Amino acid sequence: MSESNRPKRTILVCCGTGCLANHSLKIYHKLKELITKAGVDVAVETYIKTTGCNGLCEKGPIVKITPDDIAYFKVKESDVEEIFEKTILQGEVINRLLYLDSVTGKRFKSHKENDFYKRQMKIALRNIGEIDPADIFDYIERGGYESLKKALFTMTPESIIEEVVKSGLRGRGGAGFPTGRKWKQCAGYNNYPKYVLCNGDEGDPGAFMDRSIMEGDPHSIIEGMAICAYALGSNTGFAYIRDEYALAVKNMSNAINKAKEAKFLGENILGSGFNFDIQIVRGGGAFVCGESTALMSSIEGKVGEPRAKYIRSVEKGLWGQPTVLNNVETWANIPVIIEKGGEWYSGIGAPKSTGTKVFSLVGKIRNTGLVEVPMGIALRELIFDIGGGITAGRKFKAVQTGGPSGGCIPESLLDLNVDFDSLTKAGSMMGSGGMIVMDERTCMVDVARYYLNFLAEESCGKCLPCREGIKRMLEILNSICAGKGLAGDIELLQEICATVSEASLCALGKSAPNPVVTTIHYFEDEYLAHIRDKRCPAGVCKELTTYYIDPENCKGCGLCLKNCPAGAVSGQPKSWHSIDQKLCIKCGNCIDNCKFHAVKIR
Amino acid sequence: MIITINGRQCEAEHGEFILDVALRNGIQIPTLCHSEALPGLASCRLCIVEVIENNWSKVVASCVYPITSEIEVVTHSEKIKRMRKTLLKLLGARAPQNAYVRKLLAEHEVTPAARFQGDPDENCIMCGLCVSACDKIGAGAISTVYRGIAKKVSTPYDEPSKTCIGCSACAGVCPTGAIKVQESHGKRIIWKKEFELLSCAVCGKPFITPEQIAYLKAKLNQEIDEILCETCKRKAAGERFAQTCADLTASKGLLR
Ligand SMILES: Cc1cc2nc3c(=O)[nH]c(=O)nc-3n(C[C@H](O)[C@H](O)[C@H](O)COP(=O)(O)O)c2cc1C
Ligand code: SF4
Ligand code: SF4
Ligand code: SF4
Ligand code: FES
């Protein structure tokens, strides 16, 4: 703490994985160097911290200065000196580095002013980017571990569980099972030891909210788990972390050690007599290891394969003992619920999907990154206001939600409120909160094929419907995309979907048909165009695409000619260009580069 | 407790599997990966049934679903029959030429789907019984490798396994005859590994590998002085039994 009443001036350099890749570490070192050097004769109170992911990855590296509340985006190493001289020494704002709103063209001084941040409400991500994950006192300064104290010394196990039940919190890992109910069920079994597990496997490609919490605010997870452990009478916890997440593993283990030193974990926590410790287990390296029974097998040292789960883990989980497994983001919500009360939490979001949810917005959208918003937000607001709409002036076509076995939601449902039940009703799911935005140049049959391909590799392959069903669906989709689709294919796909979705052993197989079911449901025309007319309307499936240049629109600018790698385009400047079909390799460069929409797909 | 299966009341113990209760009551449910000695695989899903509880119906695998309340079970609803047919269709696509698979399809009146490119040499349906059997013996010579659609049963690196004892228990449990065992000239080849065969002391038929004998010795913790094949062992046991009976009856003076 500084001697004066003014809070200490701090420069925060985002060192999440996205920003790190953009050399934020170099920026950090350079800033630090300049400040130490100048520190001798210039009295500026500044220090630098490495903070977790800020969410707006596409605009990284991000440098924030508090309490000035200035946020700079896309900072380059060459900008550091200017930031130091102008902003740090003279308090001047560098306009060029401020956030540029792609819709309004306005620049914002504070990261809290722009639409991407303004419409967000941060609970699970409350500390991300604001604290140094390596420094437990940063967490404590912001009220960290107060909820654990409150739980240990002023609440009974029953009242803790009651608070979580009241909050309406549902699991953020995919299935949306009410967290309080899960805890209550587990508390009902008088069988010890009990285990408390954290699912940090995060296998969904494109989702990285769990990584960002484990990297940027590990103590919020630890605190959540400790509160639950106290309520259940559990003394052992495991944090199962995806193997590729080296930084998450590092920050989590460091945080566990710090928490132990500070008596928030370990024997006789804060003198309460309660013991709880957390061990880290590195993931088995497969998507399916995130499934609860596979995860538990993996922790037990067995192959990470799902097993029949007709007896729930709250009764017989890890090593056959009562177990509560929750997702990283679920855990991060717990301290806030205990602090502010279940009722407060249940007032946020939608009636049956309370609170906030972190989404990772990716795909053909202007602002990509993590956003945390109240549940029930309209898809349109999420994609167009926060996400800034579709890139390159194209049209929105669909948004894929829920990870690889989620579904595709079409434009006609843009006003859908995003919550567990409405997404399921639309044939998709919440999943972990991945949202992949697709534009008009996306072929929906190809999309279904893409996800099935992922699942074909990532299913554990143990049970017949999932393994063989996915294989055969993929075979049909491949042949449709290659122009060899047959009448009856759609019906056959639907028949397989119906069986796989109910007869499979675990939820991977049960949800695997979603990409196929939803694309057929919302985009059947596109399937028919492929099968019947041997045409890919989006111009993606090469065998089914013919590009031609419409003389009406062609201005003869020659951009298509310049970008064609096959020399298939010919034409004189300012006159109509044309494509030689024999030479065309269907790369799509012409259509992607033409500014006049003159290149068309037949 | 009492549950109903297809409308019939059946006595069941808490924790018993639906399949066992059904079979005990003469109600047939098709199975493929189920074996009493190697339970719990639940991979083929042919044994699916509908369970109705609190007006809510769900599809479960009867071979591993434990009964914990007074449920209602339907084993052959239209939905289940339809799904079973699709499962068999998928099975037929996997191993189109396998005799056992073809018989199963015929029994359920499923015509193989012409749409799929099946591998005519594929016989394994990935039920997992062989791996379970080998694990149970303790040899652990075979396991499933890879994930997803590429998953298969194999020895480590597809090489002859160091721990395989050549017992062919795997081949014995395989429902489709997918595991090839070649026996000739006193040799057995299984999983690319060649074994010498020792002969039966009575009939002289070569039938057991030295590795198996060593395994049995270790397991029973006793010497094996006479090597007898199953047939001769049974015969010998039968003779001993007959002798014992004869002795017994004779000693009791009941023979006229
Ligand atoms: C194939 C598959 C993969 C999963 N992967 C994850 C994962 O990476 N992280 C996660 O938290 N939950 C994952 N889940 C969901 C978990 O099984 C489980 O429902 C969840 O961890 C429970 O925590 P929650 O109630 O807090 O969501 C997965 C489920 C399936 C079927
Ligand atoms: S549904 Fe798929 S992932 Fe799950 S057990 Fe079956 S094969 Fe494995
Ligand atoms: S023959 Fe070899 S692989 Fe087969 S069960 Fe026996 S030990 Fe295992
Ligand atoms: S080889 Fe036979 S027993 Fe083994 S998995 Fe294949 S079908 Fe089943
Ligand atoms: S017999 Fe039950 S799943 Fe195979």
Side-chain angles (χ1 to χ4, degrees):
Chain A
M1 282 281 141
S2 76
E3 294 124 300
S4 71
N5 285 333
R6 243 168 42 100
K8 200 168 181 176
R9 205 157 179 223
T10 311
I11 304 181
L12 298 153
V13 180
C14 178
C15 283
T17 311
C19 288
L20 272 183
N22 285 316
H23 311 294
S24 66
L25 216 51
K26 279 197 189 145
I27 295 168
Y28 162 79
H29 285 305
K30 200 156 173 191
L31 268 169
K32 196 163 181 171
E33 192 193 311
L34 287 174
I35 279 156
T36 343
K37 234 194 269 167
V40 198
D41 41 51
V42 187
V44 190
E45 251 186 55
T46 307
Y47 62 98
I48 297 169
K49 300 190 164 215
T50 50
T51 76
C53 184
N54 262 304
L56 202 62
C57 296
E58 192 134 292
K59 307 264 185 294
I62 305 175
V63 173
K64 291 192 284 176
I65 297 146
T66 62
D68 312 40
D69 215 4
I70 298 171
Y72 290 144
F73 294 83
K74 290 195 171 178
V75 177
K76 287 195 280 308
E77 220 187 320
S78 51
D79 298 324
V80 170
E81 225 145 301
E82 189 178 349
I83 294 177
F84 174 71
E85 305 233 325
K86 288 206 180 134
T87 313
I88 304 297
L89 297 183
Q90 290 152 30
E92 210 178 285
V93 176
I94 306 163
N95 242 331
R96 160 175 62 87
L97 295 174
L98 292 179
Y99 180 87
L100 175 70
D101 188 304
S102 42
V103 184
T104 61
K106 263 169 70 182
R107 291 205 181 257
F108 296 98
K109 175 175 151 236
S110 162
H111 69 286
K112 286 171 192 126
E113 270 174 42
N114 70 48
D115 252 347
F116 188 77
Y117 287 110
K118 207 174 58 196
R119 293 184 190 243
Q120 296 194 45
M121 176 173 188
K122 305 230 173 176
I123 296 176
L125 303 181
R126 60 194 177 279
N127 294 324
I128 308 291
E130 308 287 339
I131 64 166
D132 178 352
D135 190 345
I136 191 171
F137 294 105
D138 264 24
Y139 182 68
I140 294 171
E141 235 173 63
R142 288 173 64 97
Y145 289 112
E146 284 303 318
S147 300
L148 177 61
K149 281 185 206 158
K150 181 174 175 185
L152 287 176
F153 300 112
T154 71
M155 296 172 82
T156 61
E158 294 73 32
S159 65
I160 295 170
I161 293 173
E162 212 33 62
E163 228 36 67
V164 180
V165 170
K166 241 193 265 167
S167 75
L169 175 68
R170 294 170 67 173
R172 301 307 195 226
F177 192 84
T179 307
R181 199 192 302 165
K182 191 188 279 185
W183 294 15
K184 198 172 197 164
Q185 285 169 349
C186 190
Y189 293 102
N190 211 352
N191 178 7
Y192 296 86
K194 291 182 182 178
Y195 297 106
V196 171
L197 314 183
C198 169
N199 193 340
D201 198 49
E202 196 162 60
D204 291 11
F208 53 104
M209 53 285 285
D210 294 350
R211 183 184 76 193
S212 121
I213 298 174
M214 290 186 285
E215 288 177 358
D217 190 17
H219 288 289
S220 66
I221 304 166
I222 297 170
E223 185 174 5
M225 288 176 77
I227 292 168
C228 172
Y230 173 68
L232 300 178
S234 159
N235 305 118
T236 313
F238 292 91
Y240 188 86
I241 306 177
R242 182 173 168 171
D243 197 43
E244 292 98 314
Y245 284 1
L247 185 59
V249 170
K250 186 178 142 211
N251 290 3
M252 280 289 288
S253 22
N254 177 51
I256 289 172
N257 291 336
K258 293 276 167 65
K260 267 193 237 178
E261 281 165 23
K263 289 264 163 218
F264 297 125
L265 274 184
E267 304 268 306
N268 193 13
I269 294 176
L270 298 171
S272 64
F274 166 62
N275 310 329
F276 180 62
D277 202 354
I278 300 173
Q279 269 168 271
I280 289 181
V281 178
R282 296 189 76 151
F287 173 65
V288 73
C289 287
E291 192 275 339
S292 58
T293 60
L295 181 144
M296 289 177 207
S297 282
S298 183
I299 296 181
E300 290 169 10
K302 301 188 207 128
V303 187
E305 269 178 17
R307 50 183 183 231
K309 189 184 160 188
Y310 297 127
I311 300 173
R312 290 163 316 181
S313 332
V314 285
E315 182 182 350
K316 287 191 168 133
L318 190 64
W319 286 299
Q321 292 301 116
T323 302
V324 160
L325 167 71
N326 278 126
N327 161 263
V328 165
E329 187 185 331
T330 313
W331 287 123
N333 277 295
I334 298 297
V336 187
I337 290 172
I338 296 302
E339 181 202 337
K340 302 198 173 159
E343 206 157 307
W344 169 83
Y345 192 87
S346 70
I348 301 163
K352 285 188 174 158
S353 299
T354 57
T356 55
K357 173 81 194 88
V358 184
F359 294 99
S360 74
L361 286 179
V362 292
K364 303 287 173 60
I365 195 172
R366 284 211 185 99
N367 302 326
T368 62
L370 292 183
V371 298
E372 182 170 0
V373 289
M375 290 266 197
I377 188 175
L379 260 181
R380 191 185 295 282
E381 185 178 352
L382 202 51
I383 294 168
F384 289 90
D385 299 337
I386 298 178
I390 310 300
T391 48
R394 292 224 178 92
K395 255 186 74 179
F396 170 89
K397 184 162 183 179
V399 55
Q400 206 272 355
T401 76
S405 47
C408 294
I409 297 172
E411 195 185 359
S412 59
L413 292 183
L414 268 177
D415 290 313
L416 187 88
N417 296 326
V418 182
D419 61 52
F420 284 107
D421 307 310
S422 61
L423 284 176
T424 308
K425 220 173 116 203
S428 186
M429 56 190 199
M430 179 71 77
S432 60
M435 290 219 165
I436 303 174
V437 178
M438 302 168 180
D439 68 8
E440 54 195 327
R441 284 278 280 134
T442 315
C443 164
M444 299 315 285
V445 186
D446 182 58
V447 163
R449 172 169 77 150
Y450 171 82
Y451 288 109
L452 269 275
N453 220 345
F454 177 89
L455 295 165
E457 281 171 22
E458 292 299 332
S459 141
C460 87
K462 176 162 144 180
C463 74
L464 176 104
C466 174
R467 183 189 63 245
E468 303 300 325
I470 290 175
K471 179 169 163 177
R472 296 308 165 186
M473 287 194 274
L474 185 58
E475 183 180 350
I476 298 173
L477 292 171
N478 274 333
S479 89
I480 295 179
C481 289
K484 296 184 184 129
L486 301 176
D489 276 356
I490 295 182
E491 294 70 20
L492 186 52
L493 281 171
Q494 284 169 325
E495 176 193 335
I496 299 174
C497 286
T499 297
V500 174
S501 66
E502 284 203 68
S504 292
L505 193 154
C506 84
L508 186 149
K510 289 194 167 126
S511 58
N514 285 342
V516 181
V517 172
T518 52
T519 49
I520 293 179
H521 183 73
Y522 295 119
F523 301 94
E524 192 175 3
D525 284 357
E526 224 168 306
Y527 275 84
L528 289 174
H530 283 71
I531 297 171
R532 218 173 38 204
D533 315 333
K534 305 293 170 210
R535 206 166 58 78
C536 173
V540 171
C541 301
K542 290 202 167 136
E543 278 86 348
L544 301 179
T545 298
T546 308
Y547 295 109
Y548 70 97
I549 299 173
D550 185 351
E552 294 271 317
N553 294 7
C554 178
K555 302 264 187 276
C557 72
L559 267 182
C560 50
L561 190 150
K562 210 187 285 166
N563 283 292
C564 175
V569 182
S570 58
Q572 292 303 314
K574 299 208 173 119
S575 61
W576 175 49
H577 283 50
S578 65
I579 300 175
D580 183 345
Q581 298 303 336
K582 283 198 288 298
L583 295 177
C584 173
I585 57 162
K586 321 271 169 75
C587 68
N589 278 0
C590 51
I591 196 168
D592 289 342
N593 280 290
C594 179
K595 302 218 174 351
F596 308 101
H597 300 288
V599 183
K600 301 257 160 82
I601 298 159
R602 192 168 0 236
Chain B
M1 60 182 84
I2 303 283
I3 63 166
T4 57
I5 307 182
N6 300 342
R8 239 173 70 198
Q9 306 229 310
C10 303
E11 187 74 44
E13 305 250 335
H14 184 98
E16 242 189 317
F17 298 126
I18 294 176
L19 179 66
D20 296 331
V21 179
L23 293 180
R24 192 169 61 232
N25 285 277
I27 298 166
Q28 293 303 320
I29 298 173
T31 61
L32 186 48
C33 69
H34 178 73
S35 145
E36 253 170 67
L38 307 164
L41 285 167
S43 61
C44 77
R45 319 305 282 178
L46 281 189
C47 69
I48 47 171
V49 297
E50 270 189 84
V51 164
I52 301 153
E53 198 178 12
N54 309 325
N55 284 325
W56 172 264
S57 151
K58 58 184 173 186
V59 174
V60 306
S62 62
C63 67
V64 290
Y65 188 92
I67 297 160
T68 56
S69 59
E70 307 208 315
I71 47 170
E72 188 187 333
V73 178
V74 186
T75 65
H76 286 74
S77 64
E78 281 313 309
K79 177 171 167 180
I80 291 291
K81 280 196 280 190
R82 200 180 61 232
M83 289 175 47
R84 228 175 248 147
K85 284 193 172 184
T86 310
L87 290 172
L88 286 163
K89 208 186 259 183
L90 291 170
L91 205 59
R94 177 174 177 102
Q97 297 301 330
N98 182 272
Y100 184 79
V101 170
R102 291 174 77 115
K103 193 178 116 232
L104 258 185
L105 260 68
E107 271 170 22
H108 288 84
E109 294 166 356
V110 177
T111 37
R115 183 69 175 92
F116 304 121
Q117 297 245 294
D119 174 357
D121 297 324
E122 182 62 89
N123 288 297
C124 170
I125 49 149
M126 287 301 298
C127 66
L129 279 169
C130 52
V131 176
S132 275
C134 190
D135 276 347
K136 191 161 186 198
I137 286 164
I142 48 175
S143 61
T144 55
V145 292
Y146 310 132
R147 280 200 297 274
I149 59 173
K151 197 179 190 107
K152 61 167 193 167
V153 176
S154 154
T155 53
Y157 308 104
D158 263 331
E159 301 278 337
S161 156
K162 288 198 182 63
T163 58
C164 177
I165 58 170
C167 66
S168 65
C170 50
V173 293
C174 176
T176 60
I179 300 170
K180 297 281 165 292
V181 191
Q182 285 170 327
E183 271 176 30
S184 63
H185 305 98
K187 296 235 185 309
R188 172 184 294 160
I189 302 176
I190 185 166
W191 293 107
K192 297 188 190 163
K193 188 167 174 180
E194 190 175 294
F195 295 89
E196 181 196 340
L197 285 182
L198 304 175
S199 303
C200 172
V202 175
C203 69
K205 192 182 100 188
F207 80 101
I208 196 166
T209 69
E211 289 84 349
Q212 263 176 289
I213 300 279
Y215 166 83
L216 284 174
K217 269 188 203 158
K219 186 164 179 190
L220 305 173
N221 200 12
Q222 68 182 45
E223 282 304 307
I224 296 172
D225 23 59
E226 204 183 27
I227 300 174
L228 287 183
C229 74
E230 278 308 311
T231 330
C232 295
K233 206 188 287 172
R234 225 176 290 131
K235 221 176 331 135
E239 275 159 16
R240 266 203 305 277
F241 183 67
Q243 192 58 49
T244 320
C245 289
D247 290 352
L248 267 176
T249 36
S251 69
K252 293 202 174 152
L254 291 174
L255 249 184
R256 304 250 147 166

